[in-house]
Amino acid sequence: MAEERIYSVPIEEEMQSSYLDYAMSVIVGRALPDVRDGLKPVHRRILFAMYSLGLFHNKPYKKSATVVGEVLGKFHPHGDAAVYDTLVRMAQDFTMRYPLVDGQGNFGSVDGDSAAAYRYTEARLSKISEELLSDIDKDTVDFVPNFDERLKEPVVLPAGFPNLLVNGSSGIAVGMATNIPPHNLSETIDALLEMIDNPDVDLDGVMKYIKGPDFPTSGEILGAQAIKEGYANGSGSIVVQAKFHIEEGKRGKDSIIVTELPYQVNKANLITDIANLVKTGRIDGISDIRDESNRDGIRIVLEMKQNAQVNVIINKLLVHTKLRTTFGMNFLALIDGVPKRMSLVTMLRHYLEHRKVVVERRTKFLLDKAEKRAHIIEGLKRALDHIDEIIAIIKHSKDVPQAKKALMQRFKFSDVQAQAILDMKLARLTALQRSELENEYLSIIKEIERLKSILSSPEALNSVIKKELKNIKNTYGDKRRTKIIAKGPEKFEDRDLIKEEEVVVTVTHKGWIKRLPLSVYRSQGRGGRGVMGMAQGENDFVEKIYVASTHDNMLIFTEKGKCYGIDVFEIPEGSRVSKGRSILNLINISRKEKLRGIVCEKNIDQVKITMVTKKGIIKKVSGSAFKHARKNGIIAMNVKEDDELIDVSVLYGEEDVILISHCGVAVRFSAERVRTMGRTAAGVRGIRLRKDDYVVSVIIVRKESHLFIVTEKGYGKRTSISEFRKTGRGVKGVRAIKITEKNGYVIGAAPVNETDEIIFISQKGQILRAKAKDISVQHRSSTGVKVVKIVGNDKLTDTERINLEL
């Protein structure tokens, strides 16, 4: 009985050893490309098998099944699906920048359609892939036994062009991965030529030629700096975006036309994703989606609804779909069988070193072949000089070995020369053939000298490499497809994904806030009853109304002189009769604070903010002071204990300011008379008031022609602003409207033009929208006319102008 060989090994050691062996097998034998030819073993074996079958670009196609069977049977004993899938990818022009296989039949599509079975498709080498295999029969690379040691297969291909960079590579190994983007062949070769001429060239020098990746599906790369960082470190991320443009349609229905996609984006899935976003309401404004792509290129048509905000839709598409993707670059490849991450410059240098070895080995092979041929020709030439004697020796020899031995003894021929003489045909004895032999010998001697000069001179070797690279560039080079935009991708804020529209923001006495589209409120004639604008709780009523854009910044000021910041689109949208949402849920405001003013501006740092208190104190502050106002609030004005802030306005220049009081008194002065102060300042006197009076409105005079004033009992009028003469600040002012028991006290005022409309809000929540031109123009001392019908004991609480020219 044979002695049993059983070894005791700790399971931890065995698992560690076995897993490391497996990991290295995956890394070296399956997942990572070689830095020299840019190929993984399966790719290399497919190309070599097709080369062995003679499937060159100018030969007939053969069934893909033939290639798969050849690869499986001789070089790659794994699954046929893995081999065929690799073959398919090498034939897809939307996957490979320069396809290495010329496929005939269904090899899949950019929509994600799979290729037909290998019994239906046909394949052969593409012309450019033959450059990878060129001179493989001239001892340019090493060969190793195949899996069953019956045949030999190449360790690496000669690689006439830098395939690793040109076609890129991706793969996931054990604990590491590679993701090298494809590049333009012409740019890459130009960089190699520069590197040959200037071995010390740095990344900046290389990037004069290689601008960045060049994807087969084109698209746009956003951010040149990200490309440079990826090239320098061997890893990094670049943003790739689809190429699209806007086509104007009839009746305001524009269309977004997508013509190029980011690399490796499935077109069918992209269209499905867009359709789902439209269906679920996450993207509003797209009425139709059509795929009009054909053999001439990609064309996805996204038809917009009438007057849709195309920019907002584009922003949402870029954020929520693969119209914009990130490509993670990871320049990891095998160097002498060891995986290493390298920079772009290092990768190019390794390829050049490989080409030098290939050209040097090929030159030695050709030199050896030429010297052997020259040696034979020398023997043939000597033989022709003694042909009669040589023929006699051959005639008198009993067999070939004896004849060869006699020739070698008599004329000192080598074994090779003697054999060549014996193999020589009698036709070579003619004068013409002798002349051809002389010419061949002279040609070979020149070739030997040329080959020796290449081997003896690094400059000559580099010259050969440069010439071959230039030939490949001239033969296969093309223009860049992927556009590189120097500026990086803009970072979308929430407002960029929100449709910009005019909205009405309403606030109740108890702090309930909501926004509604301006179109909800229909225009009515003077004296109309209005529509119900908000459902009120007990003892609550609508107190303030503002017209703003969803893209505006909203600054909320309270009666205590504090400022809170929020974007208009953050205010929840409600229905016309909904209650809204408590402002306490949107900003960190105290329950004791009352809202007194709202400013809505996109570019807050370009304006001035004016604040007025109930007792007529006015203050002017630069808008930039509130740029960083957030939900926790900041101090806007130092308000005294017995006073409160009542209104806030925006100054775009040094306009005039009109202050309107509860008792119908007005004062007009230039904003220049109020110096710009800091946020904590108290302000200066704007109007001198009677004991029982207080300020209700602040008017900023711009190009408006009339001042509209309304009282609590629904009376109002328009008065020409020119009737209010400019005075200094801090004076008593003049009458703006005659106050009687019939019309009541002033609740608000607004500057208006003929094209403006006005919204009124009652204490019980009724809202009326009227045209300013329907309200009569009267002198400033008149009492006004009925503009709103007041029901029961209801009364007006606020008014707001709508500028239809915005």
Side-chain angles (χ1 to χ4, degrees), residues 180-223:
I180 302 169
H183 291 76
N184 184 271
L185 178 67
S186 299
E187 293 180 359
T188 307
I189 289 180
D190 285 340
L192 288 170
L193 296 176
E194 172 66 21
M195 189 169 284
I196 292 172
D197 293 334
N198 180 16
D200 297 326
V201 66
D202 58 6
L203 180 59
D204 290 330
V206 168
M207 289 192 69
K208 290 180 181 178
Y209 305 96
I210 300 178
K211 306 301 182 183
D214 190 24
F215 299 109
T217 52
S218 303
E220 298 175 340
I221 299 175
L222 308 181

Side-chain angles (χ1 to χ4, degrees), residues 5 70 93 98 162 186 205 213 225 360 428 476-477 482 564 566 591 682 703 731 760 796:
R5 289 182 292 178
E70 182 80 1
D93 59 2
Y98 301 90
S186 299
Q225 184 61 32
E360 187 174 8
R428 302 297 297 272
Y476 307 102
T482 302
Y564 300 85
I566 192 174
R591 292 183 179 273
K703 63 178 181 178
V731 300
F760 306 96
L796 296 183

Side-chain angles (χ1 to χ4, degrees), residues 260-510:
E260 296 174 6
L261 294 178
Y263 186 48
Q264 296 176 331
V265 168
N266 184 305
K267 176 163 65 68
N269 290 345
L270 172 67
I271 294 173
T272 300
D273 290 343
I274 295 174
N276 288 335
L277 289 171
V278 174
K279 185 177 179 180
T280 57
R282 295 184 68 184
I283 293 182
D284 183 32
I286 297 178
S287 61
D288 190 23
I289 304 172
R290 298 190 303 275
D291 185 3
E292 298 179 356
S293 306
N294 53 36
R295 65 179 58 189
D296 296 325
I298 290 173
R299 180 179 170 86
I300 302 172
V301 180
L302 306 178
E303 189 174 299
M304 303 292 104
K305 294 179 181 178
Q306 190 171 9
N307 299 322
Q309 294 196 339
V310 180
N311 289 337
V312 174
I313 293 173
I314 289 174
N315 292 345
K316 287 187 176 181
L317 289 171
L318 293 177
V319 170
H320 298 301
T321 73
K322 290 189 176 180
L323 283 179
R324 176 181 287 180
T325 63
T326 299
F327 187 97
M329 296 191 296
N330 193 14
F331 287 72
L332 187 73
L334 297 175
I335 301 175
D336 297 328
V338 179
K340 289 185 179 179
R341 179 182 288 113
M342 64 201 87
S343 66
L344 175 68
V345 175
T346 302
M347 187 172 285
L348 290 171
R349 287 205 172 104
H350 278 292
Y351 171 75
L352 278 181
E353 289 300 320
H354 174 58
R355 281 307 294 173
K356 288 178 181 179
V357 172
V358 167
V359 173
E360 187 174 8
R361 288 182 61 161
R362 182 188 64 195
T363 304
K364 289 179 179 179
F365 175 84
L366 294 175
L367 177 61
D368 182 63
K369 185 177 179 181
E371 288 177 337
K372 288 179 179 178
R373 181 58 183 167
H375 179 65
I376 291 173
I377 294 176
E378 289 171 353
L380 293 176
K381 285 171 60 181
R382 271 201 301 140
L384 290 176
D385 292 336
H386 305 88
I387 193 62
D388 292 334
E389 185 177 356
I390 288 173
I391 291 174
I393 292 173
I394 294 173
K395 282 176 65 178
H396 292 92
S397 299
K398 67 176 183 177
D399 52 24
V400 172
Q402 186 181 18
K404 181 192 289 188
K405 185 177 181 180
L407 291 174
M408 293 172 65
Q409 289 178 345
R410 170 67 181 86
F411 297 103
K412 304 302 181 184
F413 289 134
S414 67
D415 184 270
V416 175
Q417 288 174 325
Q419 187 63 46
I421 293 169
L422 293 172
D423 294 338
M424 184 175 62
K425 297 180 181 180
L426 292 174
R428 302 297 297 272
L429 299 177
T430 63
L432 180 61
Q433 289 293 321
R434 183 182 182 92
S435 176
E436 289 181 358
L437 206 61
E438 289 285 351
N439 292 334
E440 183 184 358
Y441 183 71
L442 291 175
S443 176
I444 287 177
I445 293 301
K446 290 181 180 179
E447 178 67 7
I448 290 172
E449 292 177 355
R450 186 186 72 84
L451 296 172
K452 285 183 175 180
S453 68
I454 293 173
L455 294 173
S456 62
S457 170
E459 291 76 15
L461 184 67
N462 286 335
S463 179
V464 172
I465 296 172
K466 287 176 62 176
K467 182 180 179 181
E468 292 176 353
L469 288 172
K470 287 178 181 178
N471 287 338
I472 289 177
K473 174 189 172 183
N474 294 333
T475 304
Y476 307 102
D478 57 3
K479 293 183 178 179
R480 162 174 284 279
R481 296 182 187 177
T482 302
K483 183 179 180 181
I484 296 176
I485 298 174
K487 185 179 179 181
E490 69 276 20
K491 293 183 179 179
F492 292 121
E493 298 180 1
D494 291 342
R495 71 178 65 239
D496 299 319
L497 308 179
I498 300 296
K499 178 182 178 182
E500 184 172 13
E501 61 180 346
E502 294 293 302
V503 294
V504 174
V505 179
T506 58
V507 186
T508 73
H509 179 71
K510 290 191 174 182

Side-chain angles (χ1 to χ4, degrees), residues 458-605:
E459 291 76 15
L461 184 67
N462 286 335
S463 179
V464 172
I465 296 172
K466 287 176 62 176
K467 182 180 179 181
E468 292 176 353
L469 288 172
K470 287 178 181 178
N471 287 338
I472 289 177
K473 174 189 172 183
N474 294 333
T475 304
Y476 307 102
D478 57 3
K479 293 183 178 179
R480 162 174 284 279
R481 296 182 187 177
T482 302
K483 183 179 180 181
I484 296 176
I485 298 174
K487 185 179 179 181
E490 69 276 20
K491 293 183 179 179
F492 292 121
E493 298 180 1
D494 291 342
R495 71 178 65 239
D496 299 319
L497 308 179
I498 300 296
K499 178 182 178 182
E500 184 172 13
E501 61 180 346
E502 294 293 302
V503 294
V504 174
V505 179
T506 58
V507 186
T508 73
H509 179 71
K510 290 191 174 182
W512 291 88
I513 188 170
K514 70 175 180 179
R515 64 179 169 91
L516 297 92
L518 186 60
S519 58
V520 166
Y521 301 103
R522 66 182 185 273
S523 179
Q524 298 182 2
R526 180 172 66 89
R529 293 288 298 273
V531 296
M532 186 62 66
M534 181 177 284
Q536 282 74 49
E538 187 178 354
N539 299 323
D540 195 13
F541 58 90
V542 175
E543 189 175 74
K544 291 289 182 179
I545 182 169
Y546 302 90
V547 178
S549 165
T550 50
H551 280 202
D552 285 349
N553 295 316
M554 175 174 278
L555 298 177
I556 301 173
F557 295 81
T558 68
E559 92 282 4
K560 296 299 182 181
K562 203 167 181 181
C563 174
Y564 300 85
I566 192 174
D567 291 314
V568 172
F569 64 80
E570 293 184 89
I571 300 171
E573 184 173 353
S575 67
R576 184 168 52 82
V577 296
S578 64
K579 189 174 182 179
R581 189 174 179 183
S582 173
I583 201 168
L584 298 175
N585 296 328
L586 300 178
I587 58 176
N588 298 326
I589 185 173
S590 168
R591 292 183 179 273
K592 295 181 180 180
E593 289 184 271
K594 294 181 180 180
L595 188 147
R596 282 292 183 261
I598 290 180
V599 171
C600 300
E601 284 294 326
K602 294 185 186 70
N603 302 309
I604 192 66
D605 55 345

Side-chain angles (χ1 to χ4, degrees), residues 790-801:
I790 303 299
V791 180
N793 61 353
D794 197 8
K795 61 181 180 180
L796 296 183
T797 60
D798 202 3
T799 184
E800 179 76 5
R801 179 191 68 156

